[in-house]
Amino acid sequence: MRIMIVDDEREIREFLAGMEGWAAIGCEVAWSAANGEEALGMLNACTSLPDVIITDIRMPVMDGITFAEHVRRRYADMPIIFLTAYHEFDYARQAVKLGVSDFMTKPFLPEELIRTVESLREHEPMLAGWREHDQFFELLADEQHSAAYKQQWLQGSGLQDGEFILLYAELDAPRNSDNEHFPFAAAHLRGQIETAAGGVGLQGWTASSASGIYLFVPLRQQTGLTAGREQLMAFAKEITSVSASRAMSLSVGISQIFPTFCRLPEALRQVKKCMEYRMLLGKNSVIAYDAMESFLTEKEKETGASLSLIADALRSNDPEKIRALLKDSYRSMLSVGASKKDMQHYALHLIEKAEAALADLGIRPSHGMSVDIREKLIKAVLLTDIMKELERQLIAYQVFMQQELQDSPLKVISDVKQIIRERFAEELTLQAVANKLNVNYSYLSRLIKKETGHNFTDMLWDYRIEAAKTKLLREDLKTYEVAYAVGFKDTAHFSFMFKKKVGLSPSAYRAHVRGGQGLAEE
């Protein structure tokens, strides 16, 4: 088996080429190049091709991503291993779309790379099938494609649409502060999970990410899967237990049940949130999105200060509104016996809501700012420290929002959304909003479309549906009562719009979120 090494650092190329372990697995490094362009030249001149390419991602002249794109166009089945820093997720996501066979996270030990190549050889018979799986994920996860297009693709591929659950298994960290090392070899982990899933009757599609493996499980095709979520939970606990016995640390996130394959993007977001929640639960965790959302919903009820108030507090330009909201929350959390971990959960959720309020206006804080506050909240020792850090960050976001909105068209959009929040239950029209803001109706219509990509009616309906979701979970109202309470005058129209945007009828949504009691339609 002959290998090509592509890395811009000469010392690394020489080190990799000279590793003694290659001979033990029947491999040799036959080519080495300093960048993708040089490597392509070598491939063009080759009388026989490499059996595997190992390439860095970040390189001058031509980086690893561009190089892999060229390789894929010419040699569709060429196995490629990426060398990547653990946090280069954006690059790694592109690599997944290119059908990269494996990832090695830096820093790595020589024997880890040897094992990765050896594992790739072991799983070589599976690579063609995995590329088909990758195509499945790439197409269904692309939100640029319409549901109709995806349905057509599924039919053309001979795949039956239906309910599914998404599982995501991820190594908790490549290296922690105590130098505990968890090398990530995608092919090895993917093969283990696929084999283990098949052993318990789970048939589906797998895909690699920068640091973990997805398992897409179509429920209608499972002959032995009678309990759905419960069966998958048992499987998840089993694979985390096995990984722990092998001195690895693996956590698993599980999405809700979705009624159609076309909602894969939402499932991907759910398992990502599960992995964020893992930070507070520790290693070898199994996190079901249903349970996580249920916990957060209950804590939100107990605080007394609704998280939806955060958007208003941020827009107020008054730090005292932030402090008052946090003061009420702090008292309420203590009154229900909240622990430090509960408070951390709440604080992180509040930061998410604040950033969502910013994003709603097209405003995004820097990645460093976003990561820094999360690290501080997790490391805080005292409850008072958590609240101080939270107050400091929310006020910083408040100032940031005001600076971004100053003399900007986004200020008008912000005002429109404020009016919708205040008057969504009324018969609100764009003309009434334009009169309130003292702006031209046509100008306002064009501005809303340009800045948000939606028209005013869509914005109003979206807010009414979100308000309805909250009322369905917090209040014991009939569906028609919820419809009238949030501004719909026709209950049939309300049910139609709710299902269109949420994917479930109002009553099915309430039953599902409150405890997974079923998905029966009204």
Side-chain angles (χ1 to χ4, degrees), residues 103 168-171 184 186 189 193 207-214 250:
F103 299 92
Y168 178 61
E170 181 178 286
L171 293 176
F184 176 54
L189 184 57
I193 289 176
S208 302
S209 78
S211 53
I213 303 297
Y214 295 104
L250 183 75

Side-chain angles (χ1 to χ4, degrees), residues 87-284:
H87 292 297
E88 291 180 332
F89 294 119
D90 289 336
Y91 290 102
R93 277 196 292 268
Q94 296 178 57
V96 171
K97 290 185 178 182
L98 290 170
V100 168
S101 303
D102 216 334
F103 299 92
M104 276 299 298
T105 52
K106 297 179 180 179
F108 57 84
L109 303 174
E111 54 267 31
E112 293 169 1
L113 182 55
I114 298 293
R115 283 198 298 267
T116 296
V117 173
E118 188 174 26
S119 176
L120 193 60
R121 294 185 67 183
E122 292 175 8
H123 296 95
E124 191 169 358
M126 306 170 79
L127 293 182
W130 285 351
R131 279 190 284 274
E132 291 181 6
H133 291 196
D134 291 338
Q135 182 184 15
F136 173 89
F137 267 84
E138 181 183 352
L139 188 137
L140 289 179
D142 192 340
E143 296 191 80
Q144 298 301 313
H145 296 316
S146 67
Y149 177 85
K150 293 177 182 179
Q151 291 283 1
Q152 186 178 9
W153 182 86
L154 288 169
Q155 291 175 7
S157 303
L159 299 174
Q160 183 182 1
D161 192 13
E163 294 183 335
F164 76 93
I165 296 181
L166 184 68
L167 177 147
Y168 178 61
E170 181 178 286
L171 293 176
D172 290 313
R175 190 185 299 274
N176 67 14
S177 58
D178 299 321
N179 289 323
E180 186 177 13
H181 197 55
F182 299 116
F184 176 54
H188 183 62
L189 184 57
R190 188 171 183 175
Q192 284 187 322
I193 289 176
E194 203 165 90
T195 300
V200 295
L202 291 173
Q203 303 298 323
W205 293 272
T206 59
S208 302
S209 78
S211 53
I213 303 297
Y214 295 104
L215 174 63
F216 180 103
V217 182
L219 299 185
R220 290 179 183 174
Q221 299 176 23
Q222 309 306 312
T223 56
L225 190 65
T226 56
R229 186 186 301 106
E230 292 74 15
Q231 194 88 355
L232 204 58
M233 284 287 290
F235 170 70
K237 291 175 181 177
E238 175 64 23
I239 61 175
T240 57
S241 176
V242 170
S243 70
S245 69
R246 296 176 179 173
M248 296 174 63
S249 181
L250 183 75
S251 289
V252 177
I254 302 175
S255 75
Q256 294 176 313
I257 295 176
F258 287 95
T260 169
F261 292 3
C262 298
R263 292 181 64 185
L264 178 58
E266 190 175 345
L268 290 168
R269 286 190 285 270
Q270 287 189 0
V271 294
K272 180 182 177 182
K273 279 190 173 293
C274 290
M275 290 299 104
E276 294 172 357
Y277 195 76
R278 165 195 56 177
M279 292 187 299
L280 295 176
L281 296 181
K283 299 175 182 178
N284 290 106

Side-chain angles (χ1 to χ4, degrees), residues 478-492:
K478 301 290 186 182
T479 298
Y480 71 87
E481 292 175 322
V482 172
Y484 296 144
V486 299
F488 284 90
K489 304 308 178 187
D490 184 327
T491 55

Side-chain angles (χ1 to χ4, degrees), residues 2 31 42-44 46-52 74-75 78:
R2 300 201 299 171
W31 302 268
M42 291 180 177
L43 288 173
N44 290 334
C46 285
T47 56
S48 61
L49 294 173
D51 295 293
V52 63
R74 300 183 190 184
Y75 317 105
M78 177 71 70

Side-chain angles (χ1 to χ4, degrees), residues 258-316:
F258 287 95
T260 169
F261 292 3
C262 298
R263 292 181 64 185
L264 178 58
E266 190 175 345
L268 290 168
R269 286 190 285 270
Q270 287 189 0
V271 294
K272 180 182 177 182
K273 279 190 173 293
C274 290
M275 290 299 104
E276 294 172 357
Y277 195 76
R278 165 195 56 177
M279 292 187 299
L280 295 176
L281 296 181
K283 299 175 182 178
N284 290 106
S285 300
V286 175
I287 310 110
Y289 187 82
D290 282 330
M292 183 185 75
E293 285 293 282
S294 176
F295 172 83
L296 293 175
T297 300
E298 287 303 312
K299 287 302 171 186
E300 186 173 338
K301 288 180 183 178
E302 294 165 355
T303 59
S306 170
L307 294 179
S308 63
L309 296 176
I310 187 61
D312 294 335
L314 288 175
R315 290 181 175 87
S316 69

Side-chain angles (χ1 to χ4, degrees), residues 443-498:
Y443 164 76
L444 184 58
S445 178
R446 291 194 303 272
L447 182 65
I448 290 173
K449 184 67 175 180
K450 177 184 176 182
E451 297 296 337
T452 70
H454 302 285
N455 58 40
F456 173 77
T457 303
D458 289 333
M459 289 173 60
L460 179 59
W461 281 342
D462 284 346
Y463 194 87
R464 284 173 172 171
I465 294 301
E466 288 304 310
K469 287 165 65 176
T470 300
K471 286 186 176 293
L472 285 166
L473 297 181
R474 294 185 185 175
E475 301 176 25
D476 292 323
L477 298 176
K478 301 290 186 182
T479 298
Y480 71 87
E481 292 175 322
V482 172
Y484 296 144
V486 299
F488 284 90
K489 304 308 178 187
D490 184 327
T491 55
H493 182 227
F494 167 66
S495 294
F496 171 79
M497 292 300 300
F498 192 96

Side-chain angles (χ1 to χ4, degrees), residues 376-419:
K376 287 181 177 178
L377 290 174
I378 291 170
K379 292 177 180 178
V381 176
L382 302 175
L383 294 181
T384 51
D385 291 338
I386 293 174
M387 299 310 291
K388 286 178 182 177
E389 289 294 345
L390 191 55
E391 178 183 312
R392 181 192 62 78
Q393 188 67 28
L394 292 180
I395 290 176
Y397 280 165
Q398 188 182 56
V399 172
F400 182 52
M401 177 180 281
Q402 295 303 319
Q403 291 172 342
E404 291 294 308
L405 290 179
Q406 188 174 9
D407 300 324
S408 165
L410 292 177
K411 177 64 168 61
V412 177
I413 303 300
S414 175
D415 291 341
V416 170
K417 291 182 176 181
Q418 179 68 24
I419 292 172

